[in-house]
């Protein structure tokens, strides 16, 4: 958090006097960080497709690049003042301390955001892992059921006693169905009147004078 952008070049350049170029500024020509920051300033930092959790962690540093660079320059100013034996007045010391503290707090908040992103990614990976594990268990259970079904089929087709018992059961079932069919065939057909086909008048008095022809159907 105290030095979020520190590079090996800056470590080797530490202790330069005030009349030489700042290592924090010279570092901008030694890497592409400034150009990457300007590129994302043009593209934007939100709704960028295809980024992984690690990319979002890096993107947080890119977003805060300018804030970190400003804090880095002020830290170098404090170091150069000490090297040159300059003692700032109280108000200047408080201002420098406040600037450095703000930079550190920004870095710590970024670290918290990065930790949250990584934890969310880990939780998502665990959920996906559990889903795959659940599918594997379901597939294994289905395979066990199929294996048991196959074993039962093999035992039925290879064990003489089981085959004999199933043959007897089929024979009893067929005989039972045959008896039921024979019983149904032996029962006399029952008739019921479906509708009237014709009505004729014979000339006699009362009901005897009407001849009705009915349609009958057996059940």
């Amino acid at each position: 958090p105290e030095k979020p952008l520190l590079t090996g070049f800056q470590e080797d350049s530490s202790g330069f006097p005030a009349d030489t170029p700042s290592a924090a500024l010279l570092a901008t020509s030694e890497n592409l960080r400034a150009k990457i920051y300007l590129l994302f300033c043009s593209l934007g930092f939100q709704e960028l497709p295809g980024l992984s959790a690690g990319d979002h962690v890096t993107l947080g540093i890119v977003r805060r690049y300018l804030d970190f660079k400003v804090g880095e320059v002020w830290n170098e100013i404090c170091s150069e003042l000490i090297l040159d034996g300059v003692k700032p007045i109280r108000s200047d010391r408080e201002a420098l301390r406040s600037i450095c503290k703000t930079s550190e707090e920004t870095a710590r908040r970024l670290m918290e955001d990065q930790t949250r992103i990584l934890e969310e990614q880990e939780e998502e990976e665990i959920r996906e892992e559990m889903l795959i594990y659940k599918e594997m268990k379901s597939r294994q259970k289905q395979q066990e059921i199929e294996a048991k079904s196959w074993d039962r089929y093999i035992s039925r087709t290879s064990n003489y006693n089981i085959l004999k018992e199933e043959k007897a059961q089929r024979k009893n079932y067929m005989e039972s169905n045959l008896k039921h069919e024979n019983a149904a065939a032996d029962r006399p057909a029952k008739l019921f009147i479906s509708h009237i086909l014709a009505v004729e008048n014979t000339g006699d008095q009362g009901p005897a004078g009407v001849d009705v022809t009915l349609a009958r159907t057996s059940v």
Side-chain angles (χ1 to χ4, degrees), residues 134-145:
K134 186 177 180 181
E135 292 177 354
M136 290 173 62
K137 286 185 66 177
S138 177
R139 188 178 297 112
Q140 183 179 4
K141 186 175 181 180
Q142 182 64 29
Q143 291 175 352
E144 290 176 354
I145 293 174

Side-chain angles (χ1 to χ4, degrees), residues 15-22 76-77 79-81 83-84:
F16 280 14
D19 57 350
T20 59
S22 169
E76 285 191 348
I77 291 174
S79 299
E80 290 172 358
L81 290 176
L83 288 175
D84 292 344

Side-chain angles (χ1 to χ4, degrees), residues 22 30 33 42-43 70-73 79 92 101 128 185 188 219:
S22 169
E30 297 296 326
R33 291 179 177 179
S42 300
L43 294 176
V70 170
E72 197 175 55
V73 171
S79 299
D92 290 341
K101 185 177 180 181
E128 294 178 355
V219 293

Side-chain angles (χ1 to χ4, degrees), residues 50-64:
L51 297 183
S52 64
D55 294 333
H56 283 288
V57 169
T58 305
L59 186 62
I61 304 175
V62 176
R63 184 187 294 111
R64 293 295 185 180

